[in-house]
């Protein structure tokens, strides 16, 4: 049988609608692939218990039961299409542990809004959650209590992070597509390291209800896919207002697949000089320049601009993100969810000691570092000096973008200053690791949408990603430019040899 796991969702939808295949065939191709290679790639969190538990009873009906009553204005039918989900997105009855010991065994009793929408569209939620850095803290998926995911293009390299499992399973055809979350680059950076498409939607475009919070003012859920059409299709399903998320915005959801029909003649693209510094990796620079030339040849025009507050983005991000994280993670105390220190009744003298021991054993090193840093930043006397000032600089960073978007349709940059690095290379040096996100975090600080698309390979065969950023709620512009580029290249069709 054809290896259906290698296809995109839109290709599978075609085949399902012509009744050439059934969705249980897709699932069995995925299982076969996962069995064959996941012990090497480790894209999934708990692969050993998950393989047999696909919701098979539902599969038979998915085969013939095409969706009715779908929203008239856009394509949202995903009947029978499997999808893999990052371990920080709640799915009813499935382990959702943020790859942290402190959430060991947590099975939420409800679906995140994105999961609910996927189920309503007929998608099949994979029982295996994808690996991630603990609580999405990281850029390499090395901070997971389940061990590191590996880059399918080179197993000695990291897949990026924190959604490294989602990006790797898509790149390695262990999934058709996946959901990730992006607080400072966690969808786009792993997508670029693994040669797939990753979109961080505008803040407020996709409901965060049921996403276990890292930094609530920055987090967004978004698609990781094999091509742009799948990204648009998945956005058609997951985008939209949700009364359960007070920051979700109530404006119309377009049919994102319609943006793929438009060309890019006359589109004005800005190149911010801060994203192309002297020290930029020369291979990354050449590959990005080639991509820029390709877009020029399709009628887009480019101009250099400046986003002058870019240099503060990393510092501002690590103040705001750790402050919010320390507050969000306060709820993990051994009482309500997941892990509690063993034999607490006999081994701890009181409640406070139970909290301390549980948190001491349950959180990994990076989580502790961030909780301590965030607590410090929010403490009396430092709040004004750090947190409040960071909020002000955040506004300046956002205003830089507002200013550029007055004259341009979008901005193009590298997604990451380097291709995938070696496993272990940066674990000893958190600051070096933090710098991996230098090109992605400004989009989160500003709330704007940004996509990473495959745009070439280094001589050693590692993928490089091109980042496109646009005005708030203008994901359509991203799809339009990205699709025009994808149409004229073959990068998205390349597969790692595994
Ligand atoms: N790598 C960044 C961090 O460690 C971003 C993570 C993310 O987007 N979740 O915070």
């Amino acid at each position: 049988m054809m290896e259906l796991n290698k296809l995109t969702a839109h290709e599978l939808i075609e085949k399902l609608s012509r009744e050439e295949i059934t969705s249980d065939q897709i699932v069995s191709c995925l299982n076969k692939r996962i069995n064959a290679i996941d012990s090497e790639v480790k894209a999934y969190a708990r692969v050993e218990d998950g393989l047999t538990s696909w919701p098979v009873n539902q599969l038979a009906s998915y085969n013939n039961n095409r969706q009715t009553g779908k929203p008239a204005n856009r394509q949202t039918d995903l009947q029978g299409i499997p999808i893999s989900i990052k371990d920080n997105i709640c799915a009813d009855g499935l382990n959702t542990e943020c790859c942290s010991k402190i959430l060991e065994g947590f099975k939420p009793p409800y679906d995140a809004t994105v999961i609910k929408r996927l189920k309503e569209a007929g998608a099949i939620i994979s029982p295996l959650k994808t690996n991630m850095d603990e609580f999405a803290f990281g850029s390499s998926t090395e901070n997971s209590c389940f061990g590191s995911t590996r880059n399918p293009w080179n197993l000695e390299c990291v897949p990026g992070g924190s959604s490294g499992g989602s990006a790797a399973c898509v790149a390695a055809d262990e999934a058709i597509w996946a959901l990730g979350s992006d607080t400072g680059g966690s969808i786009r950076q792993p997508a670029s390291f693994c040669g797939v498409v990753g979109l961080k939607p505008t803040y407020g475009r996709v409901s965060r209800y049921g996403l276990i919070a890292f930094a609530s003012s920055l987090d967004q859920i978004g698609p990781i896919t094999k091509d742009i059409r799948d990204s648009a299709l998945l956005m058609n399903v997951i985008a939209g207002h949700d009364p359960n998320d007070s920051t979700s915005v109530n404006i119309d959801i377009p049919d994102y697949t319609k943006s793929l029909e438009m060309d890019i003649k006359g589109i004005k693209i800005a190149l911010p000089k801060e994203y192309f510094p002297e020290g930029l990796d020369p291979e990354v620079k050449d590959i990005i320049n080639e991509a820029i030339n390709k877009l020029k040849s399709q009628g887009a025009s480019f101009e250099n601009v400046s986003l002058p507050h870019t240099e503060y983005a990393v510092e501002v991000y690590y103040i705001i993100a750790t402050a919010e994280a320390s507050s969000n993670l306060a709820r993990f105390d051994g009482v309500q969810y997941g892990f509690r220190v063993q034999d607490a009744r006999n081994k701890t003298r009181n409640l406070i000691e139970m909290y301390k021991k549980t948190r001491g054993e349950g959180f990994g090193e990076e989580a502790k570092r961030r909780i301590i840093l965030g607590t410090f930043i929010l403490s009396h006397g430092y709040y004004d000096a750090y947190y409040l000032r960071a909020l002000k600089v955040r506004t300046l960073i956002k205003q830089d973008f507002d200013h550029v978007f007055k004259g341009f349709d979008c901005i193009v940059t590298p997604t990451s200053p380097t291709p995938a690095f070696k496993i272990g290379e940066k674990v000893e040096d958190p600051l070096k690791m933090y710098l991996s996100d230098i090109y992605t975090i400004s989009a989160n600080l500003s709330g704007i949408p940004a996509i990473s698309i495959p745009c070439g390979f280094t001589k050693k065969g590692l993928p490089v990603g091109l980042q496109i950023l646009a005005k708030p709620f203008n994901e359509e512009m991203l799809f339009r430019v990205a699709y025009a580029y994808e149409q004229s290249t073959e990068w998205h069709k390349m597969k790692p040899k595994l």
Side-chain angles (χ1 to χ4, degrees), residues 1 17 25 30 45 52 89 101 130 133 142 166 172 253 290 319 322 337 387 413:
M1 191 177 52
S17 69
Q25 288 170 336
L30 286 172
T52 49
I89 300 174
K101 184 174 172 190
T130 63
D133 286 299
E142 290 168 292
S166 290
I253 315 159
E290 246 174 74
I319 292 172
T322 54
Y337 326 82
Y387 186 66
T413 76

Side-chain angles (χ1 to χ4, degrees), residues 86 136-139 161-162 181-186 214 317-318 370 437:
K86 189 175 178 179
F137 300 153
S139 310
S162 64
S181 69
D182 191 312
T183 305
S186 278
F214 160 6
Y317 170 81
Y318 278 96
R370 296 196 186 206
D437 304 307

Side-chain angles (χ1 to χ4, degrees), residues 209-492:
Y209 180 72
L211 168 67
I212 297 176
F214 160 6
S216 313
S217 77
L218 301 161
D219 298 339
Q220 269 292 285
I221 295 172
I224 297 183
T225 57
K226 293 174 189 170
D227 69 5
I228 311 293
R229 181 172 295 281
D230 271 7
S231 189
L233 187 58
L234 196 42
M235 277 299 283
N236 275 2
V237 173
I238 64 171
H241 179 243
D242 174 15
N244 286 329
D245 172 1
S246 60
T247 60
S248 87
V249 176
N250 196 357
I251 55 174
D252 279 351
I253 315 159
D255 183 345
Y256 291 107
T257 61
K258 289 266 165 19
S259 350
L260 312 182
E261 290 159 19
M262 291 181 260
D263 65 25
I264 57 164
K265 280 195 197 74
I267 290 235
K268 290 174 75 183
I269 304 182
L271 295 173
K273 68 172 198 283
E274 291 78 6
Y275 287 68
F276 298 86
E278 285 293 315
L280 181 60
D281 181 296
E283 273 192 292
V284 170
K285 191 168 153 194
D286 290 349
I287 290 169
I288 299 291
N289 280 336
E290 246 174 74
I292 290 170
N293 286 334
K294 194 101 273 150
L295 290 170
K296 266 186 199 153
S297 71
Q298 290 174 281
S301 68
F302 284 83
E303 232 176 274
N304 294 329
V305 298
S306 172
L307 295 165
H309 297 91
T310 301
E311 61 172 308
Y312 307 111
V314 174
E315 286 90 335
V316 166
Y317 170 81
Y318 278 96
I319 292 172
I320 293 174
T322 54
E324 292 186 21
S326 71
S327 156
N328 277 323
L329 267 55
R331 74 190 65 167
F332 303 111
D333 56 6
V335 177
Q336 303 173 79
Y337 326 82
F339 171 78
R340 176 182 301 169
V341 66
Q342 261 196 344
D343 200 14
R345 197 179 289 275
N346 298 317
K347 298 224 171 102
T348 57
R349 278 168 303 176
N350 52 38
L351 185 63
I352 300 292
E353 204 175 283
M354 190 281 285
Y355 288 158
K356 285 184 176 166
K357 287 212 163 136
T358 296
R359 287 168 67 86
E361 282 181 35
F363 286 123
E365 198 179 325
E366 184 60 24
K368 284 181 190 157
R369 185 178 294 123
R370 296 196 186 206
I371 291 170
I372 292 169
L373 193 59
T375 307
F376 171 79
I377 286 163
L378 292 178
S379 58
H380 183 72
Y382 295 107
Y383 182 95
D384 290 354
Y386 295 110
Y387 186 66
L388 218 54
R389 289 189 84 188
L391 292 183
K392 289 178 183 169
V393 183
R394 179 179 188 171
T395 302
L396 295 175
I397 292 171
K398 165 148 197 320
Q399 286 171 350
D400 284 353
F401 282 106
D402 293 345
H403 182 73
V404 167
F405 286 131
K406 281 197 185 119
F408 294 87
D409 299 298
C410 62
I411 296 173
V412 157
T413 76
T415 305
S416 166
T418 64
F421 44 88
K422 287 263 161 69
I423 291 177
E425 191 180 318
K426 300 192 183 181
V427 272
E428 298 305 324
D429 188 347
L431 289 184
K432 229 183 193 172
M433 188 72 90
Y434 295 173
L435 287 173
S436 332
D437 304 307
I438 189 155
Y439 296 156
T440 47
I441 55 188
S442 294
N444 303 75
L445 290 169
S446 315
I448 63 176
I451 196 167
S452 177
I453 61 173
C455 72
F457 289 84
T458 64
K459 289 189 193 74
K460 289 193 176 142
L462 289 170
V464 172
L466 180 78
Q467 180 175 231
I468 313 167
L469 308 99
K471 278 179 214 155
F473 301 100
N474 199 359
E475 283 81 2
E476 289 158 289
M477 179 57 71
L478 302 182
F479 288 134
R480 188 170 162 189
V481 177
Y483 190 70
Y485 177 77
E486 188 184 81
Q487 288 298 91
S488 67
T489 60
E490 298 282 310
W491 309 120
H492 61 292

Side-chain angles (χ1 to χ4, degrees), residues 33-254:
R33 180 70 171 167
I34 294 168
N35 267 325
I37 64 162
D38 202 63
S39 56
E40 286 180 88
V41 180
K42 300 185 196 301
Y44 288 102
R46 286 184 177 274
V47 84
E48 67 289 354
D49 356 301
L51 278 183
T52 49
S53 52
W54 284 87
V56 267
N57 299 341
Q58 294 167 49
L59 290 183
S61 56
Y62 280 132
N63 295 335
N64 306 314
N65 178 17
R66 309 298 303 169
Q67 191 186 4
T68 51
K70 55 189 163 180
N73 71 330
R74 61 187 202 279
Q75 189 191 345
T76 56
D77 188 347
L78 305 183
Q79 201 66 239
I81 304 291
I83 182 162
S84 296
I85 308 293
K86 189 175 178 179
D87 200 32
N88 60 352
I89 300 174
C90 290
D92 193 355
L94 292 182
N95 279 48
T96 302
E97 300 167 292
C98 290
C99 292
S100 175
K101 184 174 172 190
I102 208 153
L103 273 173
E104 196 170 68
F106 175 58
K107 289 188 179 26
Y110 72 105
D111 280 327
T113 299
V114 289
I115 301 291
K116 185 167 157 265
R117 291 200 172 158
L118 282 166
K119 286 184 176 171
E120 281 164 6
I124 303 171
I125 307 300
S126 166
L128 297 171
K129 305 297 282 291
T130 63
N131 201 13
M132 58 184 277
D133 286 299
E134 180 177 13
F135 286 103
F137 300 153
S139 310
S140 65
T141 317
E142 290 168 292
N143 302 329
S144 160
C145 73
F146 299 111
S148 309
T149 298
R150 288 158 188 276
N151 191 311
W153 294 92
N154 179 340
L155 296 173
E156 284 170 21
C157 290
V158 302
S162 64
S163 313
S166 290
C169 72
V170 173
D173 293 316
E174 295 182 62
I176 305 306
W177 53 6
L179 285 184
S181 69
D182 191 312
T183 305
S186 278
I187 289 175
R188 289 159 288 155
Q189 185 256 20
S192 90
F193 281 14
C194 292
V196 293
V197 176
L199 170 73
K200 182 201 87 78
T202 310
Y203 186 78
R205 181 78 279 193
V206 174
S207 169
R208 291 181 295 110
Y209 180 72
L211 168 67
I212 297 176
F214 160 6
S216 313
S217 77
L218 301 161
D219 298 339
Q220 269 292 285
I221 295 172
I224 297 183
T225 57
K226 293 174 189 170
D227 69 5
I228 311 293
R229 181 172 295 281
D230 271 7
S231 189
L233 187 58
L234 196 42
M235 277 299 283
N236 275 2
V237 173
I238 64 171
H241 179 243
D242 174 15
N244 286 329
D245 172 1
S246 60
T247 60
S248 87
V249 176
N250 196 357
I251 55 174
D252 279 351
I253 315 159

